[in-house]
Amino acid sequence: MKDKVRVGIIGCGGIANAKHLPALSKIANVEIVGFCDLIEERAAKAAKEYGSTDAKVYKDYRKLLEDKTIDVIHVCTPNKSHSEISVAAMESGKHVMCEKPMAKDSKGAEKMVETAKRTGMKLTIGYQNRFRTDSLHLKEICRRGDLGKIYYAKAHAIRRRAVPTWGVFLNEDEQGGGPLIDIGTHALDLTLWMMNNYEPKSVVGTTYHELSNKKNAANAWGPWDPAKFTVEDSAFGFIVMKDGSTIMLESSWALNSLDVGEAQTVLCGTEGGADMQDGLRINGEEFGRLFVKNVEVNLKGVDFYSGEKLEPQDVEARQWIDAIANDKDPLVKPQEAFTVTRILEGIYESAKTGKQFNF
């Protein structure tokens, strides 16, 4: 067991400061020693707030990777560079936590999987929604077989008006897509994990640019610039798995719908069903009667003391660092994340050609 796990962060923007750095800083046996960003001032600011006493700042990630004392790299850059940086980090003898999605395309994701196998380095992807209390509870229900064979599911990631207008979210070249690859990826990962089914057969997909052209649109983060909105505003997929199971994937940053929610799944099995639409609900039949069970997954404390509150990203970070320190497998495995990327790519390809995409 390692006494200290030394971490380097590549990409010191929003996701690093909102998720990775705060979560890592809470873990006693972690030292964040390397900070890299194309905007050096941003890396310096993060180092000042979260860095160890010997922390170094870099503008070129290759220089950071030369530090042989670093054990693990967190890749928090735009999707386009996920594969390149992750592969280089593993080649340099470092374990890698890469933000979702795994890569911009399946070719890059496949190279990450191959490199992890060849080098023996651990690789995981930032699907923190698996670590929510409702997700972990539902996974145990699925693992126990309460729902039977899950043959129909819905992966749900719909916003009414919440288009991210900062960074490169609207840039197709940098990101590879819009809401499908940004938030749809979380919903699909959650659904496949619950089903424990990673063998897609075919997909039919559609993408839309219907609301992205609107000027001065109502939006959570202010109006978007239609000229810079080069990705889809909505995307949908009809996925058939090799065993005949069906998954409906719906994702949007801007849709005229009140049925909103992110990183949610609906599961329908031979023995029961589950959804996350009003908390965690389990449905089934018993003694000739139908039932709905609402699971209370977030227990409250008493006055003046509510206990330790851990967000999903905190649980994710602790599990990941424990996997490194004690040589365990991470919860999110490379091959699983690769399958998510393959399916997303299939939806985009089907939407582009107007034909069914076969795996």
Side-chain angles (χ1 to χ4, degrees):
M1 176 176 176
K2 292 182 68 68
D3 293 330
K4 289 289 183 181
V5 176
R6 289 170 65 84
V7 178
I9 303 288
I10 300 177
C12 297
I15 197 67
N17 284 280
K19 173 188 168 183
H20 293 259
L21 291 168
L24 289 168
S25 67
K26 297 174 186 176
I27 305 175
N29 65 322
V30 164
E31 292 180 332
I32 312 175
V33 300
F35 297 79
C36 179
D37 198 280
L38 291 175
I39 302 173
E40 199 167 357
E41 295 77 14
R42 197 155 58 182
K45 182 176 182 295
K48 184 177 180 181
E49 186 170 355
Y50 295 103
S52 62
T53 54
D54 63 341
K56 295 179 181 178
V57 172
Y58 303 85
K59 192 173 181 180
D60 184 344
Y61 77 85
R62 297 172 188 84
K63 295 293 184 183
L64 184 151
L65 295 182
E66 290 176 2
D67 186 342
K68 297 187 182 303
T69 72
I70 293 178
D71 303 300
V72 57
I73 296 295
H74 280 225
V75 180
C76 304
T77 61
N79 302 343
K80 185 177 182 179
S81 58
H82 281 187
S83 180
E84 174 191 320
I85 296 173
S86 296
V87 167
M90 287 184 282
E91 295 278 13
S92 72
K94 295 164 177 57
H95 306 293
V96 172
M97 154 71 83
C98 180
E99 247 310 312
K100 62 79 194 168
M102 188 172 194
K104 181 180 172 179
D105 54 42
S106 63
K107 183 179 179 181
E110 187 173 30
K111 191 170 184 180
M112 292 166 69
V113 172
E114 183 276 324
T115 305
K117 288 179 179 177
R118 177 168 46 82
T119 61
M121 294 295 103
K122 297 184 190 302
L123 170 64
T124 195
I125 309 301
Y127 285 119
Q128 74 273 1
N129 286 289
R130 290 197 192 188
F131 297 89
R132 299 190 326 236
T133 50
D134 59 339
S135 300
L136 292 169
H137 189 91
L138 180 55
K139 179 61 178 177
E140 288 305 309
I141 288 173
C142 293
R143 185 179 284 122
R144 194 169 62 182
D146 291 20
L147 305 186
K149 172 181 165 54
I150 301 169
Y151 58 90
Y152 174 73
K154 184 169 75 169
H156 183 74
I158 297 292
R159 297 175 182 173
R160 187 182 180 192
R161 290 293 189 284
V163 177
T165 53
W166 66 92
V168 295
F169 279 101
L170 305 184
N171 186 316
E172 185 173 15
D173 180 60
E174 290 287 342
Q175 292 294 89
L180 179 63
I181 204 168
D182 177 42
I183 56 176
T185 189
H186 277 299
L188 180 58
D189 173 70
L190 206 58
T191 302
L192 295 174
W193 185 52
M194 295 299 174
M195 297 174 73
N196 191 29
N197 191 340
Y198 292 94
E199 296 189 340
K201 177 183 178 183
S202 64
V203 63
V204 173
T206 53
T207 59
Y208 295 91
H209 300 261
E210 300 296 332
L211 302 187
S212 58
N213 295 319
K214 291 185 178 292
K215 296 181 179 179
N216 300 314
N219 188 48
W221 295 290
W224 56 81
D225 181 351
K228 296 179 180 178
F229 206 140
T230 61
V231 297
E232 81 278 0
D233 53 48
S234 301
F236 308 94
F238 182 88
I239 307 155
V240 178
M241 309 300 282
K242 286 184 179 179
D243 68 352
S245 303
T246 301
I247 301 172
M248 298 288 292
L249 172 56
E250 49 187 23
S251 61
S252 181
W253 284 334
L255 192 69
N256 288 322
S257 171
L258 300 180
D259 183 18
V260 298
E262 292 185 41
Q264 294 180 347
T265 188
V266 177
L267 306 173
C268 303
T270 54
E271 301 301 321
D275 66 64
M276 297 170 163
Q277 294 177 329
D278 183 22
L280 177 56
R281 302 186 302 184
I282 312 299
N283 71 81
E285 62 175 297
E286 193 174 56
F287 309 122
R289 297 287 186 271
L290 298 176
F291 72 84
V292 177
K293 179 171 69 174
N294 292 80
V295 182
E296 191 170 346
V297 293
N298 293 308
L299 296 177
K300 297 179 180 179
V302 297
D303 288 346
F304 310 116
Y305 184 73
S306 59
E308 183 182 19
K309 180 173 175 57
L310 291 176
E311 298 296 333
Q313 57 265 30
D314 298 325
V315 183
E316 176 189 52
R318 290 188 179 190
Q319 184 271 340
W320 167 235
I321 295 301
D322 180 61
I324 294 167
N326 295 294
D327 194 20
K328 302 176 182 177
D329 288 333
L331 182 65
V332 180
K333 297 173 179 60
Q335 192 64 42
E336 296 169 348
F338 169 69
T339 301
V340 174
T341 296
R342 283 186 74 210
I343 293 174
L344 297 181
E345 188 175 66
I347 292 173
Y348 281 128
E349 185 64 23
S350 173
K352 184 166 61 175
T353 63
K355 299 177 181 179
Q356 175 177 291
F357 181 88
N358 297 309
F359 294 96

